[in-house]
């Protein structure tokens, strides 16, 4: 139960605990197979942290609750799909978070998820570089030479269709997109502005690699619209439809 009455657009740290309690219950119901999928609405991370409960996002929360190592956040809008190698981190923390293990894990989870949830038997993945011009042979950064490139080579050696690392500024051209089933961006604001500029309100956020199905909307809490009747439920409708499709595929 809520500690205090809810008022539209008014954040209250006293009710933050209920938000996490709902997530925990939904997770338990899915793990017990009483529910086939979870669809989440946006939450305000700041107010949860203000209440004294560390919370960086649904993806990280669900990974912890399901003991999942490195789930992958994927945003999908029709044929355009963008996954993230790192999620809600400060930019200064991103380079150290991109390790050979984490990158290989993310790519394998992405490939597996595209096969099982989207029916793409041989996924074509385009991997973005971390630095401008994908490091330009080390002149603008060494991560591509030391980490990203070798991991891509390793997976290509396993027969996976992996392209990259390539420069993010040209990766979304029409030619590249025609040859790509999903992109792997190195950080949150590298790939997501592209997909959100094209399909905002129709994008679905999918968490791959979990033992449960979870989809979500592509936007935040939009407090300025709360209680006004002006909010657009389009993304939520798409998230529900995709959860049903994914659950149906899993159930056979």
């Amino acid at each position: 139960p809520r500690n205090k009455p809810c008022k539209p657009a008014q954040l209250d740290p006293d009710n933050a605990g209920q938000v996490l309690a709902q997530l925990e219950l939904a997770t338990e119901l899915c793990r017990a197979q009483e529910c086939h999928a979870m669809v989440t609405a946006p939450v305000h991370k700041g107010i949860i942290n203000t209440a004294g409960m560390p919370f960086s996002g649904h993806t990280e929360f669900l990974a912890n609750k399901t003991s999942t190592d490195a789930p992958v956040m994927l945003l999908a809008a029709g044929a355009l799909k963008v996954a993230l190698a790192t999620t809600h981190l400060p930019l200064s923390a991103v380079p150290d978070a991109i390790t050979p293990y984490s990158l290989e894990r993310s790519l394998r989870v992405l490939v597996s998820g595209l096969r099982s949830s989207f029916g793409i038997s041989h996924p074509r993945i385009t991997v973005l570089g971390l630095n401008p011009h994908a490091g330009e042979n080390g002149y603008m950064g060494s991560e591509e030479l030391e980490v990203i490139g070798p991991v891509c080579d390793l997976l290509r050696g396993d027969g996976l269709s992996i392209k990259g690392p390539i420069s993010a500024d040209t990766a979304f051209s029409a030619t590249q997109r025609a040859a790509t089933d999903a992109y792997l961006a190195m950080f949150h604001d590298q790939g997501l502005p592209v997909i959100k500029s094209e399909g905002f309100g129709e994008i679905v956020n999918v968490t791959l690699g979990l033992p449960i199905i979870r989809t979500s909307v592509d936007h935040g809490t939009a407090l300025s619209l709360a209680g006004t009747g002006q909010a657009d439920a389009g993304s939520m409708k798409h998230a529900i439809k995709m959860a049903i499709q994914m659950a149906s595929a899993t159930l056979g």
Side-chain angles (χ1 to χ4, degrees):
R2 294 186 299 271
N3 291 323
K4 291 183 179 179
C6 287
K7 297 180 181 180
Q10 294 187 25
L11 300 174
D12 192 332
D14 287 337
N15 287 330
Q18 188 210 23
V19 175
L20 298 189
Q22 289 176 325
L23 287 176
E24 289 179 356
L25 175 59
T27 304
E28 291 170 5
L29 290 173
C30 288
R31 297 204 74 179
Q33 297 185 343
E34 293 187 41
C35 295
H36 296 306
M38 177 194 308
V39 182
T40 60
V43 297
H44 195 285
K45 302 177 184 67
I47 201 66
I48 297 174
N49 282 276
T50 297
M53 293 170 279
F55 182 83
S56 58
H58 285 97
T59 302
E60 297 83 359
F61 178 89
L62 293 172
N64 178 262
K65 290 299 178 181
T66 59
S67 300
T68 299
D69 179 23
V72 172
M73 178 178 173
L74 171 77
L75 269 72
L80 181 57
K81 298 176 179 63
V82 178
L84 300 178
T86 64
T87 52
H88 301 107
L89 293 177
L91 274 178
S92 60
V94 169
D96 288 341
I98 301 173
T99 67
Y101 172 81
S102 69
L103 191 59
E104 180 183 352
R105 167 73 179 174
S106 293
L107 282 165
R108 291 192 185 279
V109 168
L110 177 56
V111 169
S112 176
L114 291 171
R115 288 171 174 167
S116 62
S117 298
F118 294 93
I120 304 173
S121 57
H122 300 289
R124 300 166 299 170
I125 311 297
T126 294
V127 179
L128 307 186
L130 172 65
N131 299 292
H133 301 182
E136 210 164 273
N137 293 320
Y139 179 73
M140 294 188 184
S142 60
E143 287 82 4
E144 288 78 11
L145 293 177
E146 297 176 355
V147 178
I148 306 172
V151 170
C152 290
D153 289 339
L154 173 67
L155 297 186
R156 280 190 284 266
D158 286 348
L160 300 182
S161 180
I162 307 290
K163 183 174 184 177
I166 70 171
S167 180
D169 66 347
T170 58
F172 294 93
S173 67
T175 301
Q176 293 287 358
R177 285 174 60 167
T180 300
D181 293 309
Y183 291 89
L184 183 69
M186 292 299 106
F187 56 92
H188 188 279
D189 282 10
Q190 183 183 54
L192 298 198
V194 178
I195 192 170
K196 289 193 176 186
S197 69
E198 290 197 10
F200 193 76
E202 300 179 356
I203 302 168
V204 179
N205 182 351
V206 181
T207 306
L208 301 177
L210 297 173
I212 63 175
I213 294 171
R214 180 257 174 166
T215 66
S216 185
V217 296
D218 66 343
H219 54 75
T221 50
L223 293 177
S224 63
L225 298 176
T228 67
Q230 301 300 311
D232 185 347
S235 183
M236 176 59 75
K237 293 177 182 178
H238 284 279
I240 293 171
K241 289 179 181 178
M242 185 170 289
I244 293 172
Q245 293 170 358
M246 293 173 68
S248 298
T250 300
L251 294 172

